[in-house]
Amino acid sequence: MKQLSLKKLKLSDEDNFRKNFIWNMLGMTFNSFNSLFYMVIVTRINGTNEAGIFTLAFSVACLVYYIGIYSGRVYQVTDQNGIISDKEYILQRVVCFVLLLLISVFYCIFNQYSGDELVIFLLLCLMKGFEALSDVFYGVMQKHNELYRVGVSLFLKSLISIISFLVLDLVTKNLIISILFMDLAWIVVFLIYDIPRTSVFLEKREKVCLHHIRDLFLTGFYIFIVNFLSVYIVNAPKYAAGGLLSNSFQAIFGIILMPATLMSLAVQYFIQPYLLQLSNHFVNGEIKKFNSLILKLLMIIILFGIICLIGVYFFGIPILSLIYGIDLNAYRFDLEIIIIGSVLYPMSIILSSALTTVNITFLQFILYLITTTFSFFICPILISNFKVSGASFAYLCTMLVHFILYFGTYVFLFKRNILFKYKK
């Protein structure tokens, strides 16, 4: 009888893991592919000039997003000591949301944006702000083993926002109105789904300690810097191209970079469901299981990357040209270069998640600082001399340097038995 109960419990855990994995993958897929759909819609309806503005604005919004999430959900979910409550995590994220909005405004003022360009930048930053705010509620759901609800939320937001964006842009051909309704979709689902689904897990009488929120900012600082720089290095060629290429060429580079962006986002399919397992292996001192799981995730990315590389070689340019309505045959080699780089970066993300789980953060800050410095100098040089091809090579070089740094660091820590000597 006892064995039967244990068997049922095991099956229940497996079913719950499967449900979490499937819904999380579905939600992340729609959320990841939305940026692709937005670019297709803007390019076809509004033209390459506005598509170039949208591409740069969306990239900046993705950068300030990491101000909004600060230390991020990985740190929140893998925090096993229970000292900081869910309410305190949420309040800290609200402060970050306000900072995100203020910094977005200052960024636009500094760059002297005005008119439609100013409004487009601010609206996209607002959308990413609510995405960051939602993420802390997702962390609460995930800690209570309800990751599938995160997938449902992302699915609803992505589907409603892309439909509203498409319909309104077709009717009005006005980017501002289209983005405004896209923002409203995120806000409405956040209010009617995220908050009610999370509130059941919050202790209503639990007090909030301001010094805990202060501690969150202090202990999560290096993770924040790592997350922020991670977005910068992925988009460094795009930011550099903003001052060196015309809007049309920016749009073209944004199009051929899109598959790489999707691959970088898609790695979260594999990481998120395994975060609790990584954390448990760490807490239990199961270093062999910990490393086996990391190796498994790396092999999945490599296999996925090989399939993508072959598929893109034969079908990438024709499909992108058909989707966007632009002749991209001159950029076939550039696309292959970018795909190779896009395989290296997700592997770095997996190694980064492993180091974050075992609370190695300052060292990651150093690794990202090295990569950022490298990309800061190499991107303008290559883009100035080789235009779009230079941007593609700059992306590959940056990703290669980043992966070598992370892989070498992880192997060094593992061989020296340092990996499990840190505790949160």
Side-chain angles (χ1 to χ4, degrees):
M1 192 74 178
K2 186 177 181 181
Q3 289 180 345
L4 185 62
S5 298
L6 289 173
K7 187 176 180 181
K8 286 182 178 179
L9 182 60
K10 185 177 180 180
L11 288 173
S12 176
D13 290 340
E14 289 175 354
D15 289 342
N16 197 53
F17 179 84
R18 191 179 298 111
K19 180 170 65 173
N20 283 338
F21 186 88
I22 291 172
W23 268 109
N24 183 64
M25 184 173 66
L26 184 63
M28 289 300 301
T29 299
F30 271 78
N31 191 49
S32 299
F33 274 82
N34 262 8
S35 55
L36 168 64
F37 295 143
Y38 296 144
M39 272 298 295
V40 172
I41 293 168
V42 175
T43 304
R44 282 192 165 272
I45 297 176
N46 307 94
T48 55
N49 187 63
E50 288 198 55
I53 296 172
F54 184 90
T55 298
L56 182 58
F58 196 86
S59 298
V60 171
C62 289
L63 189 62
V64 298
Y65 163 78
Y66 280 88
I67 296 173
I69 65 169
Y70 200 71
S71 54
R73 202 193 327 165
V74 172
Y75 188 85
Q76 179 186 359
V77 172
T78 58
D79 182 6
Q80 297 279 353
N81 57 33
I83 295 175
I84 299 175
S85 69
D86 291 331
K87 278 187 177 180
E88 289 162 346
Y89 271 107
I90 291 172
L91 185 56
Q92 187 239 11
R93 193 66 61 89
V94 171
V95 174
C96 293
F97 174 75
V98 174
L99 287 174
L100 179 152
L101 296 180
L102 291 174
I103 291 172
S104 299
V105 172
F106 287 135
Y107 175 87
C108 291
I109 293 173
F110 179 79
N111 286 279
Q112 298 182 335
Y113 294 136
S114 60
D116 290 356
E117 193 174 21
L118 171 65
V119 178
I120 289 170
F121 266 81
L122 291 179
L123 285 177
L124 287 175
C125 289
L126 178 63
M127 185 195 74
K128 282 296 181 179
F130 272 98
E131 185 175 343
L133 193 57
S134 299
D135 186 75
V136 72
F137 291 87
Y138 295 161
V140 176
M141 296 178 198
Q142 187 172 352
K143 286 184 76 171
H144 290 84
N145 207 21
E146 292 196 351
L147 185 60
Y148 73 94
R149 293 193 184 277
V150 176
V152 171
S153 175
L154 286 172
F155 174 77
L156 290 173
K157 289 171 181 172
S158 301
L159 187 63
I160 297 171
S161 63
I162 198 66
I163 291 174
S164 61
F165 185 84
L166 173 60
V167 171
L168 285 161
D169 206 27
L170 279 171
V171 173
T172 67
K173 293 183 174 53
N174 187 307
L175 266 183
I176 292 176
I177 295 174
S178 305
I179 297 172
L180 177 61
F181 275 82
M182 183 172 68
D183 287 7
L184 288 175
W186 274 84
I187 294 171
V188 169
V189 177
F190 172 73
L191 293 175
I192 68 175
Y193 185 88
D194 296 348
I195 293 178
R197 294 301 184 280
T198 306
S199 60
V200 296
F201 300 119
L202 302 178
E203 295 290 338
K204 293 181 173 58
R205 297 181 180 179
E206 190 175 43
K207 293 183 178 180
V208 172
C209 297
L210 293 180
H211 71 272
H212 283 170
I213 297 172
R214 178 206 61 196
D215 292 344
L216 264 180
F217 277 106
L218 293 175
T219 58
F221 176 74
Y222 289 115
I223 297 176
F224 156 65
I225 294 295
V226 166
N227 289 336
F228 186 81
L229 293 180
S230 70
V231 180
Y232 175 82
I233 65 173
V234 169
N235 292 286
K238 196 181 294 185
Y239 299 138
L244 299 170
L245 299 179
S246 66
N247 287 336
S248 296
F249 276 121
Q250 286 184 57
I252 289 172
F253 180 66
I255 289 170
I256 63 174
L257 186 64
M258 188 61 67
T261 304
L262 295 177
M263 284 187 65
S264 297
L265 291 171
V267 73
Q268 295 179 62
Y269 299 161
F270 309 109
I271 293 178
Q272 291 295 342
Y274 291 100
L275 285 179
L276 285 176
Q277 288 188 35
L278 278 176
S279 181
N280 289 333
H281 291 328
F282 170 55
V283 170
N284 297 328
E286 299 168 335
I287 189 167
K288 288 185 178 179
K289 290 183 178 180
F290 187 93
N291 284 309
S292 294
L293 185 54
I294 293 299
L295 180 61
K296 175 183 176 181
L297 294 174
L298 290 175
M299 294 307 296
I300 290 173
I301 295 299
I302 292 173
L303 179 61
F304 181 59
I306 292 172
I307 294 171
C308 288
L309 195 61
I310 295 171
V312 165
Y313 179 80
F314 291 104
F315 308 111
I317 290 298
I319 291 175
L320 288 175
S321 297
L322 178 65
I323 290 173
Y324 289 95
I326 301 174
D327 184 5
L328 298 169
N329 284 301
Y331 305 100
R332 183 183 299 274
F333 182 69
D334 299 313
L335 180 59
E336 286 292 303
I337 291 298
I338 285 174
I339 293 300
I340 294 173
S342 72
V343 176
L344 295 171
Y345 186 63
M347 295 169 68
S348 302
I349 293 177
I350 290 171
L351 295 173
S352 176
S353 296
L355 295 180
T356 301
T357 300
V358 300
N359 203 30
I360 298 176
T361 54
F362 178 74
L363 187 55
Q364 292 191 70
F365 162 69
I366 300 298
L367 299 183
Y368 269 94
L369 193 60
I370 294 171
T371 307
T372 300
T373 304
F374 173 80
S375 65
F376 182 79
F377 287 104
I378 198 67
C379 288
I381 294 172
L382 291 176
I383 294 172
S384 297
N385 288 282
F386 304 105
K387 305 302 179 184
V388 174
S389 294
S392 303
F393 273 105
Y395 177 81
L396 173 61
C397 292
T398 301
M399 296 303 104
L400 180 60
V401 167
H402 194 60
F403 173 72
I404 290 172
L405 287 171
Y406 256 100
F407 184 76
T409 299
Y410 191 89
V411 171
F412 175 81
L413 293 176
F414 173 68
K415 287 189 174 181
R416 295 296 181 92
N417 295 318
I418 301 174
L419 202 59
F420 270 36
K421 289 186 178 180
Y422 296 83
K423 291 288 182 181
K424 283 183 180 179

